[in-house]
Amino acid sequence: MENKRRDFLRTIVANDLEAGKYEEVVTRFPPEPNGFPHIGHAKSISINFGIAKEFGGRCNLRMDDTNPTTEDTQYVEAIKDAVKWLGFEWDGDVKFTSDYFDKLYRYAIQLIKMGKAYVDSLSEEEMREYRGTVTQPGKRSKYAQRSIEENLELFEKMKNGEFKDGEHVLRAKIDMSAANMKMRDPLLYRIRHAHHFRAGGKWAIYPMYDFAHPLSDYIEGITHSICTLEFENNREIYDWLLDTLDLKPPRPYQHEFARLNINYTVMSKRKLLELVEGGYVNGWDDPRLPTIAGLRRRGYTPESILNFCEQIGVAKANSVVDVAQLEFAIRDDLNTKVPRVMCVQEPLKVTITNYEGSEEIEAPYYPSDVAKEGSRKVPFGKTIYIERSDFEENPPKGYYRLTPTQPVRLKHAYIIQYEEAIRDEEGNIVEIKAKYFPNSKSGNDTSGIKVKSAIQWVEAQNAKRVELRLYDRLFKNEAPQGIEDLNPNSLKVVQNALVEPAVVEERPNERFQFERIGYFYADPIDYNEEHPVFNKIVALKDSWAKKTKPKQPQPKPQPKKVQQIDGEVTPMTKEQEELFVRYTQEHKLGNEVANTLARDEKLSKFYEEALSVSENRSTIANFVTNEVARELKNKAINELRYTPKEIAELAVLVDDETISTKIAKDVFEQMSKSGENPKAIVESRGLMQISDPNVIEPIIEEIIANNPQNVQKFKEGNKKLLGFFIGQTLKATGGKANPKIVNELVAKKLQS
Ligand code: ATP
Ligand code: MG
């Protein structure tokens, strides 16, 4: 992750601070409390809170509670829990859009008085008809001619509950023939006779998202209103509203990024609600759900989720991330952190005929990390249990465990050799008799016997019975549509698994690696000493990777065009999937970026061509999936003023730190306008990045000397001024200073 290119949102924030547009960065996370937050929200949380933290600003938590019929306090609590659990702190109290209902109402009156909003009384049907289509302009309602007085009177009556639901609405008067359909006199308020969980019965009208959101941002002093791409067309309303009301600056601006989609899962609250209410899962925190509560109960750590969000990165084009990446993140996090112990899921009794008595074997908890201390005593005796699948009477080729002719090592203990199988009446093996080699003890083995593997086991008298909940992916399809795609084997409960006693008696951790099986977590709700319950977090290896790589050619995915809406994804074609695998595995690109490239032939070709010039894969890929992709939305490839080769050259300039990522954006803009070559632009304008502290320090000192009041305020605890000093320094260097170094130096200088 070294030398990672700063994402486009952070570049915008750095730019704005530098331009002195804001004194401090203020972001917000604005969920609607109508469901439990999911891993997609975690991405938004990590972006909003992460940016505020990095730039010395603050982030609000705002419940966007404008829809009285779907919202509930249990969801508010779940959202707060999720943010806290991920390790973030919101600024001040939790905010609610409903707290601003009075203010919003006054803004609406102001619009009416300006002649910019009117009460419309068309039926829903007529309104739809009047709106026109993408190819045809709409037609304005005759009610738009109502006088200001009439509008004011009607609107007040709407508020007072004098009309029925749907009888009237308040609309902005913008442009019924706008190319952007959202600008065709959007609705601002609708009538809803419903109880609101906070405002009670006070209001009979509720503001629409497009009205409430920008103004709530403004009221809270938000600077960067970061949201997902589906709101791209709403940005025009956002700007229209704030401009029309002519509000005192500074005002917020909206920026969009691609929402997170993950395969084998659904990620819209509506669909999650369906699963919960239909009883397909056990509540919102069911460990199979992608909710934060579910992941948490399953045993995911906050670190693993934040690392995942970091690895997938932030892009401007929608894509689908492989769930294997999330599973990788938790394995990676737990690998060295948690103790390794032995558990037998399906016990097969083994009697060691030549062993008498008992002993305790000292075994380290962290065999893979010698620096980490901790061990336990593992009891050993005449009767033990091994995993049923670790013995095969008729072994297939390549079977390395116990067979009638092949000895095996008991992990941490002795080598045993088969003698006899005991069967029940139906011929099933119920017990193995074996002998052990006294001189084969692990760590002190003089037996000279060769074995091909070591298996886990537990001693019969001391083993503890535990319940295992084995979770697998909730859906069997990569792009599940609904309940018909549920994986019937997503939960398997094993009642009689056995673990070595230390797991329950010492319980050195909540999470364990059960050797050769996977990572497990003591269920935070159902676990108790009499009945220990462990959730399987993830297997040690990705068992789906093999299953999903088809050996025989699979039926071609139907060419049916699936429209991309809310978290639903179109499956990749075979070629796209191959590209995706190559990009993630060979090129080590983030999944989101790889996905965008793989799914878009124009982009992948562009990328590949650039690669033939230089090897700067990740930086090139980032430019292609953000900047180039954005331009290609309204342009053909031959209309671009730059070539793949020049993008490669630009990437080299960034990666060898000749220019900052922020300057790279400017250079790119220039390239796309003038068609000039990046090196020429950098040289002719002297844009080389400054990383030398000896050059930067005097600049910071001067800024500090010139702003004694702000220094004073900072020292008195006003930490938000960090952003001010960083911005001033970047500005003084024309944006050429290396922001990371500026960050460090400013913090250091201000502390001293
Ligand atoms: P859903 O569609 O899953 O119901 P939503 O967009 O309705 O989610 P909100 O509560 O409105 O959920 O979202 C709060 C914030 O989280 C918004 O800024 C939204 O853009 C962001 N967000 C929601 N889903 C995702 C996602 N999958 N990836 C990234 N950000 C997301
Ligand atoms: Mg929503």
Side-chain angles (χ1 to χ4, degrees), residues 492-561:
K492 192 175 141 201
V493 179
V494 177
Q495 287 292 358
N496 296 318
L498 296 170
V499 293
E500 49 171 294
V503 173
V504 176
E505 285 167 1
E506 291 181 12
R507 224 173 138 196
N509 200 309
E510 303 303 307
R511 297 178 180 82
F512 293 91
Q513 181 188 122
F514 290 167
E515 302 247 23
R516 299 182 59 232
I517 305 175
Y519 292 99
F520 284 78
Y521 179 53
D523 186 276
I525 293 168
D526 295 337
Y527 185 104
N528 63 62
E529 210 131 302
E530 287 71 53
H531 184 72
V533 178
F534 286 94
N535 297 328
K536 183 168 179 178
I537 310 170
V538 69
L540 291 183
K541 284 198 215 93
D542 182 2
S543 56
W544 285 68
K546 279 168 267 138
K547 280 192 231 166
T548 53
K549 289 277 162 303
K551 282 191 202 74
Q552 296 126 342
Q554 291 276 304
K556 270 243 179 284
Q558 322 81 305
K560 190 178 80 178
K561 261 259 186 255

Side-chain angles (χ1 to χ4, degrees), residues 66 96-114 116-119 148-163 169-171 188-191 199 202-208 210-216 219 241 245 247:
T66 54
F96 292 84
T97 304
S98 55
D99 289 340
Y100 312 138
F101 280 173
D102 284 307
K103 282 188 184 163
L104 295 174
Y105 181 72
R106 288 199 293 273
Y107 280 125
I109 304 261
Q110 195 181 328
L111 281 180
I112 296 175
K113 287 183 175 162
M114 295 168 88
K116 297 288 185 186
Y118 61 96
V119 174
I148 289 175
E149 288 66 38
E150 192 183 353
N151 279 321
L152 287 173
E153 199 185 311
L154 281 171
F155 188 51
E156 186 168 355
K157 286 186 174 164
M158 279 168 68
K159 183 193 86 165
N160 293 339
E162 295 180 29
F163 301 116
V169 292
L170 185 74
R171 297 179 77 168
L188 304 181
Y189 269 93
R190 61 182 165 176
I191 300 173
K202 178 174 177 199
W203 295 87
I205 52 171
Y206 289 91
M208 306 297 289
D210 281 324
F211 182 71
H213 200 81
L215 288 168
S216 303
I219 291 167
L241 194 61
L245 285 168
L247 300 166

Side-chain angles (χ1 to χ4, degrees), residues 261-267 272 288-290 475 477-478 480 567:
N261 296 306
I262 300 186
N263 60 9
Y264 294 101
T265 190
V266 293
M267 201 123 66
L272 295 172
R288 290 166 292 181
L289 289 179
F475 291 97
N477 297 2
E478 231 184 303

Side-chain angles (χ1 to χ4, degrees), residues 422-487:
I422 313 293
R423 292 164 200 276
D424 64 12
E425 283 155 15
E426 282 146 32
N428 303 312
I429 295 174
V430 291
E431 182 185 342
I432 301 287
K433 291 195 186 297
K435 67 171 181 193
Y436 88 114
F437 299 94
N439 56 353
S440 67
K441 195 166 175 183
S442 210
N444 189 19
D445 180 1
T446 56
S447 71
I449 300 165
K450 292 251 180 310
V451 290
K452 290 184 174 150
S453 69
I455 60 173
Q456 75 268 31
W457 54 276
V458 293
E459 191 277 328
Q461 305 245 301
N462 292 285
K464 299 280 178 195
R465 196 172 294 279
V466 296
E467 175 181 325
L468 301 183
R469 297 179 181 165
L470 306 178
Y471 295 106
D472 200 350
R473 295 180 183 171
L474 185 55
F475 291 97
K476 55 182 194 283
N477 297 2
E478 231 184 303
Q481 298 301 311
I483 49 173
E484 64 277 14
D485 295 323
L486 282 169
N487 171 8

